[in-house]
Amino acid sequence: MEVKVGKKIFNGIAIGKIKFYAKAENKVVRTKISDTDAEYARYEAARDKAIEQLNMLYEKALIEVGEANAEIFNVHVMLLEDDDYNESVQNIITTQWVNAEYATAATGDNFAEMFANMDDEYFRARSADIKDITERVVTILCGGTENNDMGDEPVIIVAEDLAPSETVQLDKSKLLAFVTRLGSANSHTAILARTMGIPALVGVEIDEEWNGKAGIVDGYEGKFLVDPDMDTLEGYFKKKAHDDEQKKLLQELKGKENITKNGQKINLYANIGSPNDLISVMENDAGGIGLFRSEFLYLESTTYPTEEEQFEAYKKVVETMGGKKVIIRTLDIGADKQIEYFELDKEDNPALGYRAIRICLTRPDIFRTQLRALFRASAYGNLAIMYPMIISVKEVRQIKEISKSVREELKAEGIEVGNVEEGIMIETPAAAVMSDELAKEVDFFSIGTNDLTQYTLAIDRQNAKLDSFYDAHHPAVLRLIQMVTENAHKAGIWSGICGELGADTELTETFLKMGLDELSVSPGCILPVRKVVREVE
Ligand code: PEP
Ligand code: MG
């Protein structure tokens, strides 16, 4: 038995025969041609056929993995229709008098290299897409077909790498898992694996000798076991049976209401940090997004993200969620989330320092840019905004003034703005104590129990040494949650929890009793919390 380790892409256990996925090999030979127009026409015909295939793949993916994931094939079509790409192929054919296969492969190499060297992570990731579309056109020009035959029995696909188009073409009914040597955890292929719910590992050292042998993919531990002995196999059969049972039970809760036995309902929303997390939001049947930590946009960037970049990200999330509520939290940096280009001073007590709304209120340029992007995106769905680290009514009034002026500015420019709920996070004891006054100013409260606990108990949430003093269920925190919720309801607004405590199923019943209207948890916790809600009398 051999045991290899890799990066986990999706949880789960698969046991079955290993199949090596061999790509159709295209050997491109550079040959001289005499009729450049005819050669370019050959290229155009192959390109059009590739576009036709991609459109079909889009339709297939739309059914199997949803619109957001199918979108990659539209991107591929756009890349094939790109003038620069096509002009490069034409240029190589006409200036060098060479065949279309060579001109396409050379263009693909040049463009892929150019994208790979770009600063922007999004564009760097497009390098793989360029290779994929180029390979598709070259295969057509070479008269080849794609290797798509998986045989009769379900298999674990092992490959050097898998392009998104290859992943989607794999026959899902025969695909147990996949393991690749290349590929990153955030590649489209990995995203597709998550959406398909297939155990997957990347970054695994692979060996062609394994073809046909038995294998076990352990997506929980990030292990790939080849040719397992009987004891290991037996142990994994048991693990898999237990795993399947748990997953099946939770799956049955999809589409069901979050309702207690006596009819009390609660909204279960998801916390996300990036548009990439939308897949698990869908997969886990979230009723909306209760916390989109917008700082990811800033953390991933080497400079301040522009209004346009932010607008595109927010629009994508609200559009994907259809009419469901998407609560986007404005920038919350400082403390443990440091960003070099903000040039924040070193502080003795960063958790009590210059962070979140304090930065936004003293740097209105940054705040206004984000608000403009948010209000613009609000025209495309059900967007709500919430403000972090609030301690006073004065701050909220200041925020409201800025927010009003941004909305007026957009309207004066003729830009449509949706109906936006504006709420605050209750993360400080000050906000909790003042929640009766604050409730008169805003549309909702979302209790950030991670910080509320840290500030109430005076325990640094980053300091593992204090774990023995830390009590997530401390009555002081629970009393504050109750008080905040009562004050919200007195003022006629709703109250939810978006900190980690919201997913603590030991407290679900308590939260229901307190009358909380919403719990926003990481996507994978939605169904387990729903299960408990439905069991409460
Ligand atoms: C919180 O403090 O509970 C919260 C949700 O915000 P973050 O964890 O991002 O500080
Ligand atoms: Mg917080």
Side-chain angles (χ1 to χ4, degrees):
M1 176 169 82
E2 278 185 75
V3 181
K4 301 284 173 193
V5 287
K7 259 187 259 164
K8 300 176 266 188
I9 297 301
F10 191 77
N11 283 342
I13 289 165
I15 305 170
K17 196 164 135 185
I18 297 169
K19 174 167 168 53
F20 243 82
Y21 186 85
K23 288 180 195 277
E25 283 274 309
N26 292 309
K27 282 228 170 339
V28 176
V29 184
R30 187 175 192 268
T31 52
K32 285 280 178 191
I33 48 102
S34 53
D35 184 345
T36 54
D37 285 348
E39 198 59 17
Y40 187 62
R42 253 189 85 226
Y43 163 75
E44 283 185 311
R47 179 205 56 199
D48 291 349
K49 190 162 174 205
I51 292 175
E52 212 177 284
Q53 287 177 353
L54 287 164
N55 285 333
M56 272 156 51
L57 280 174
Y58 175 81
E59 297 301 327
K60 184 172 188 286
L62 197 61
I63 298 163
E64 289 182 358
V65 289
E67 191 173 353
N69 297 296
E71 190 51 33
I72 185 65
F73 299 110
N74 278 340
V75 172
H76 281 195
V77 170
M78 265 157 47
L79 291 172
L80 271 178
E81 285 172 346
D82 179 65
D83 286 346
D84 292 336
Y85 186 92
N86 286 297
E87 278 164 18
S88 165
V89 175
Q90 188 169 29
N91 189 40
I92 294 173
I93 293 175
T94 50
T95 57
Q96 301 182 32
W97 298 83
V98 289
N99 55 331
E101 288 86 340
Y102 176 81
T104 310
T107 298
D109 286 348
N110 295 341
F111 276 62
E113 193 186 330
M114 183 174 75
F115 275 91
N117 287 324
M118 286 184 175
D119 286 337
D120 186 300
E121 197 180 331
Y122 175 83
F123 285 112
R124 274 205 306 277
R126 298 287 73 76
S127 176
D129 296 320
I130 293 281
K131 285 187 192 154
D132 200 5
I133 57 156
T134 303
E135 191 62 27
R136 181 174 294 283
V137 178
V138 171
T139 302
I140 296 167
L141 283 166
C142 294
T145 53
E146 285 140 349
N147 182 353
N148 205 7
D149 181 18
M150 292 171 66
D152 293 328
E153 59 183 315
V155 287
I156 295 170
I157 290 286
V158 176
E160 181 68 11
D161 197 9
L162 281 173
S165 55
E166 289 169 322
T167 315
V168 117
Q169 280 174 84
L170 296 172
D171 182 348
K172 258 174 73 185
S173 65
K174 295 186 194 136
L175 181 60
L176 295 172
F178 73 70
V179 174
T180 64
R181 191 177 74 78
L182 300 174
S184 74
N186 286 320
S187 63
H188 279 293
T189 300
I191 292 168
L192 286 170
R194 286 193 203 106
T195 317
M196 290 172 170
I198 299 166
L201 303 175
V202 297
V204 178
E205 215 183 284
I206 58 168
D207 184 343
E208 265 185 59
E209 294 289 307
W210 298 339
N211 199 24
K213 289 189 176 167
I216 300 172
V217 177
D218 183 341
Y220 292 102
E221 305 271 329
K223 278 197 231 157
F224 185 39
L225 300 92
V226 181
D227 207 5
D229 53 55
M230 278 318 280
D231 281 353
T232 309
L233 253 180
E234 224 168 273
Y236 267 100
F237 272 124
K238 278 192 194 136
K239 257 193 198 175
K240 183 166 163 38
H242 180 254
D243 189 53
D244 288 349
E245 208 175 302
Q246 294 301 312
K247 281 190 177 160
K248 209 163 102 202
L249 284 175
L250 286 178
Q251 290 308 307
E252 283 171 14
L253 293 173
K254 276 195 188 176
K256 300 236 164 101
E257 279 188 302
N258 311 307
I259 188 167
T260 61
K261 291 213 159 98
N262 67 6
Q264 186 184 346
K265 289 186 189 171
I266 190 160
N267 286 321
L268 287 184
Y269 290 175
N271 293 347
I272 63 167
S274 134
N276 290 342
D277 300 332
L278 285 169
I279 289 149
S280 45
V281 171
M282 304 288 170
E283 237 174 37
N284 290 286
D285 198 24
I289 288 170
L291 166 63
F292 176 8
R293 292 178 161 98
S294 69
E295 51 275 7
F296 93 93
L297 273 176
Y298 295 77
L299 286 161
E300 281 177 5
S301 180
T302 49
T303 180
Y304 297 99
T306 63
E307 178 184 322
E308 214 49 40
E309 283 165 347
Q310 295 192 53
F311 164 68
E312 286 300 333
Y314 305 146
K315 176 168 162 269
K316 182 174 174 184
V317 177
V318 288
E319 275 184 344
T320 308
M321 291 303 289
K324 290 180 180 165
K325 201 193 292 287
V326 175
I327 304 173
I328 303 181
R329 167 174 81 187
T330 56
L331 178 66
D332 181 10
I333 60 150
D336 53 316
K337 290 176 242 161
Q338 289 294 328
I339 301 177
E340 232 170 72
Y341 59 84
F342 272 76
E343 294 177 348
L344 301 177
D345 291 336
K346 214 167 162 17
E347 295 173 307
D348 287 340
N349 290 306
L352 305 180
Y354 186 54
R355 57 173 294 196
I357 203 69
R358 299 170 187 179
I359 297 177
C360 290
L361 288 175
T362 45
R363 300 200 45 190
D365 47 332
I366 295 173
F367 195 32
R368 290 184 75 93
T369 302
Q370 180 168 37
L371 288 176
R372 279 183 61 95
L374 286 166
F375 281 116
R376 281 175 59 197
S378 71
Y380 296 83
N382 185 355
L383 187 149
I385 302 177
M386 71 177 170
Y387 304 99
M389 282 296 292
I390 298 296
I391 56 166
S392 68
V393 170
K394 186 173 148 224
E395 277 170 350
V396 174
R397 294 208 175 127
Q398 254 178 295
I399 293 167
K400 280 164 71 178
E401 234 169 78
I402 299 172
S403 148
K404 185 164 169 255
S405 110
V406 168
R407 266 176 287 144
E408 281 169 359
E409 183 178 270
L410 288 169
K411 281 184 190 153
E413 291 169 28
I415 295 171
E416 198 189 334
V417 172
N419 256 337
V420 178
E421 271 187 76
E422 285 177 273
I424 54 170
M425 290 189 72
I426 304 287
E427 296 179 285
T428 62
V433 171
M434 296 305 295
S435 54
D436 54 341
E437 295 295 322
L438 289 165
K440 295 176 195 153
E441 302 285 333
V442 296
D443 298 319
F444 65 92
F445 287 155
S446 185
I447 307 170
T449 50
N450 309 337
D451 278 319
L452 185 61
T453 308
Q454 139 161 291
Y455 297 127
T456 304
L457 304 186
I459 287 186
D460 180 353
R461 65 192 261 193
Q462 303 285 104
N463 190 343
K465 260 198 220 154
L466 299 175
D467 279 356
S468 60
F469 294 95
Y470 186 89
D471 174 8
H473 296 194
H474 196 294
V477 177
L478 296 179
R479 277 193 201 180
L480 288 178
I481 296 173
Q482 173 143 34
M483 184 174 101
V484 167
T485 303
E486 278 168 11
N487 284 333
H489 291 168
K490 268 187 220 152
I493 65 167
W494 65 265
S495 168
I497 294 179
C498 64
E500 295 305 304
L501 205 61
D504 187 333
T505 47
E506 283 178 33
L507 289 173
T508 309
E509 189 165 358
T510 307
F511 294 148
L512 283 160
K513 282 207 182 104
M514 287 181 182
L516 277 140
D517 305 279
E518 176 239 31
L519 298 174
S520 190
V521 299
S522 49
C525 295
I526 288 175
L527 295 176
V529 176
R530 176 174 297 166
K531 180 170 179 283
V532 177
V533 169
R534 294 174 64 84
E535 284 162 2
V536 169
E537 296 291 336

